[in-house]
Amino acid sequence: MITPQQPDQLLANLGITALNPMQLAAQQAIQTTTDTILIAPTGSGKTVAFLLPMLQLLNPGHKGVQCLILVPSRELALQIEQVWKTMATGYKVNVCYGGHSIDTEIRNLSNPPAVMIGTPGRISDHIDRQSFARDGIHTLILDEFDKSLTLGFQEEMAFIIDGLQDLRQRVLVSATASLTIPDFVGLQSPKILTFIPDDTQTGNLTTEVVYATRKDKIDTLFDLLCTLDSEPALIFCNLRETADRCSALLTERGIYARAYHGGMEQEDRERALIQFRNGSVRYLVTTDLAARGLDIPEMKYVIHYHLPPHEPEFVHRNGRTARMQASGTVYVIVHRDEIYPSYLPTALPEFRLPSTQQPLPNPPDFQTLYISGGKKNKVNKVDIVGFFRQKGGLDKGDLGRIDVQDFMSFAAVRTEKVAGLLASISQQKMKGKKYKIEVAR
């Protein structure tokens, strides 16, 4: 039997002392209104804003899926799943997305969850396979709804929504104010909550232009990174090929960077994000895929290697910095002959690169270790911490973020401790079993 958590305990589980105004407004609207549209900036806490009131709509006596959350990417699906598990509600959750083993998903759905999170393509596939019953689904949440439309999921979304005959409530969530909502969503007099500031260029955000002397901007990017005091940065490109090229050339020159874009294999994308989150990679060279919907740290710097063609993408990219009263700087790298897009002010202040070559950024303080066991092997974070400290001799400050997946895990370990740790545990067993542990590629 599920014992409902008290609101204060749920917030404590999330590490939150109080809800912000947007989350309070969403809680009231979702609990009392049929349909809701929530528009708020990236990084403002939208996931908590819809999960907390959604929890109150669940019936602990019902044994099937009650809430379906559709998202445009597997990364966002996994992020929402992690927040839900951190809340420790007692309700089961399953996540389904392309690239994940569908046989594993079907086995998980044999004991249906109360909350199902997934991408439109994979959820459509499960509906075709009749992997779960839809007659108990009363709440539908469409997170980053406009991005799902941009990625071409209209047909799958229409198919899914048309089959939810007992749907009573719809919640649309986005970071974009100018939404066009197709009729297939079926909204009925929605309550619209908008928390986008009128001035998207906040007082905490500084935007500066860096002029490249050559149309190939890689030298300018390299020089710019050498001036940022080894602080992490997101570097945005318009093309996947450019992201690959930039990350490779930066790494060749001694600045370790990782690419992240939709053309990469799922495993490579996930590892790039893990390394960026845990600080073993300082520079992520990416497309607009990383502009929103990802759980990544607050950035002090955002760099536009390419400017996007439209202003919303520019705003979303910049939303990765200067969040929640913090300050941040956006650098726009342009050649003097380059034509500015119409949304960009023509009188941006110039950031002048030093005339002499600056030292390389410091290497990352941590490296990421791969562990060949995860949740399905009954391995958790506590097991890994205990094993590394007891058998590997690590102190508390030597371990960083730990990510545990179904069949593998990743742990950030202070760089100077990695060799000794691997030597110490090479013949040791964790929970009675020997796992492969090595530096993640």
Side-chain angles (χ1 to χ4, degrees), residues 366 385 389 393-400 412 414:
F366 288 86
V385 171
R389 294 187 68 180
L394 295 188
D395 295 326
K396 183 177 181 181
D398 297 330
L399 265 174
R414 198 165 292 280

Side-chain angles (χ1 to χ4, degrees), residues 147-391:
K147 189 173 181 182
S148 291
L149 293 179
T150 301
L151 293 175
F153 288 130
Q154 289 93 331
E155 185 175 339
E156 292 91 341
M157 294 172 74
F159 168 68
I160 294 167
I161 295 173
D162 183 61
L164 301 179
Q165 299 300 319
D166 298 307
L167 200 59
R168 300 195 299 269
Q169 187 156 14
R170 299 161 178 82
V171 180
L172 273 62
V173 184
S174 178
T176 300
S178 55
L179 286 176
T180 300
I181 301 172
D183 292 339
F184 67 71
V185 178
L187 288 179
Q188 302 290 328
S189 303
K191 174 73 173 180
I192 302 175
L193 305 174
T194 302
F195 288 84
I196 299 291
D198 292 334
D199 181 11
T200 56
Q201 300 295 324
T202 67
N204 296 326
L205 181 64
T206 302
T207 304
E208 299 181 341
V209 63
V210 183
Y211 288 108
T213 56
R214 300 171 56 193
K215 291 188 177 180
D216 186 342
K217 303 173 183 177
I218 189 65
D219 292 336
T220 304
L221 174 61
F222 176 85
D223 292 341
L224 176 59
L225 293 178
C226 290
T227 70
L228 301 186
D229 297 324
S230 304
E231 288 278 355
L234 271 173
I235 303 159
F236 284 100
C237 306
N238 289 347
L239 302 174
R240 298 171 177 178
E241 295 80 5
T242 308
D244 286 333
R245 175 178 178 268
C246 286
S247 62
L249 290 176
L250 289 173
T251 301
E252 284 180 12
R253 298 185 185 194
I255 298 179
Y256 183 46
R258 286 292 300 262
Y260 176 81
H261 57 72
M264 297 167 59
E265 293 293 331
Q266 174 197 341
E267 181 179 335
D268 293 332
R269 281 166 57 180
E270 290 181 356
R271 292 196 181 196
L273 280 182
I274 286 169
Q275 290 178 307
F276 190 58
R277 288 188 190 114
N278 68 25
S280 56
V281 170
R282 295 190 194 276
Y283 308 106
L284 194 68
V285 190
T286 181
T287 59
D288 284 323
L289 186 63
R292 52 184 168 141
L294 293 183
D295 175 23
I296 57 178
E298 166 70 21
M299 291 290 99
K300 189 174 181 180
Y301 299 111
V302 165
I303 300 171
H304 296 270
Y305 189 85
H306 291 146
L307 283 165
H310 306 294
E311 185 173 15
E313 288 88 348
F314 183 71
V315 172
H316 288 311
R317 291 178 179 186
N318 296 346
R320 286 299 178 183
T321 188
R323 295 188 204 167
M324 306 300 288
Q325 309 305 315
S327 61
T329 302
V330 170
Y331 293 108
V332 177
I333 302 178
V334 298
H335 188 267
R336 291 189 183 275
D337 294 339
E338 192 172 336
I339 299 174
Y340 277 24
S342 58
Y343 62 78
L344 194 69
T346 56
L348 286 175
E350 179 182 357
F351 178 78
R352 294 181 180 273
L353 294 170
S355 57
T356 57
Q357 179 60 53
Q358 302 299 298
L360 287 171
N362 296 326
D365 296 327
F366 288 86
Q367 286 189 338
T368 299
L369 295 188
Y370 160 83
I371 303 158
S372 64
K375 299 172 188 174
K376 301 297 184 181
N377 310 104
K378 308 300 182 184
V379 172
N380 59 39
K381 292 182 182 180
V382 175
D383 299 326
I384 295 170
V385 171
F387 181 61
F388 281 5
R389 294 187 68 180
Q390 294 169 15
K391 302 296 185 180

Side-chain angles (χ1 to χ4, degrees), residues 55-181:
L55 171 62
Q56 306 306 316
L57 303 175
L58 298 180
N59 176 5
H62 185 79
K63 300 302 182 184
V65 181
Q66 300 181 57
C67 176
L68 176 62
I69 304 175
L70 292 181
V71 297
S73 68
R74 60 184 69 118
E75 289 84 3
L76 183 54
L78 292 167
Q79 176 183 327
I80 297 171
E81 178 198 33
Q82 184 58 50
V83 174
W84 182 261
K85 288 184 174 180
T86 301
M87 288 168 59
T89 66
Y91 287 99
K92 184 184 178 186
V93 62
N94 280 141
V95 61
C96 304
Y97 52 86
H100 193 224
S101 168
I102 195 161
D103 291 334
T104 298
E105 292 178 358
I106 291 172
R107 286 194 297 270
N108 289 338
L109 291 172
S110 64
N111 176 22
V115 179
M116 190 169 180
I117 309 166
T119 53
R122 179 52 62 94
I123 296 297
S124 296
D125 195 350
H126 280 298
I127 290 173
D128 285 337
R129 295 168 183 261
Q130 300 182 342
S131 304
F132 65 97
R134 291 172 283 169
D135 54 4
I137 298 176
H138 53 70
T139 302
L140 172 69
I141 296 175
L142 306 177
D143 196 8
E144 297 289 3
F145 172 71
D146 57 306
K147 189 173 181 182
S148 291
L149 293 179
T150 301
L151 293 175
F153 288 130
Q154 289 93 331
E155 185 175 339
E156 292 91 341
M157 294 172 74
F159 168 68
I160 294 167
I161 295 173
D162 183 61
L164 301 179
Q165 299 300 319
D166 298 307
L167 200 59
R168 300 195 299 269
Q169 187 156 14
R170 299 161 178 82
V171 180
L172 273 62
V173 184
S174 178
T176 300
S178 55
L179 286 176
T180 300
I181 301 172

Side-chain angles (χ1 to χ4, degrees), residues 3-23:
T3 303
Q5 292 267 18
Q6 295 300 313
D8 289 347
Q9 183 58 53
L10 289 170
L11 294 184
N13 294 344
L14 291 165
I16 298 173
T17 56
L19 298 178
N20 63 36
M22 178 272 293
Q23 292 166 336

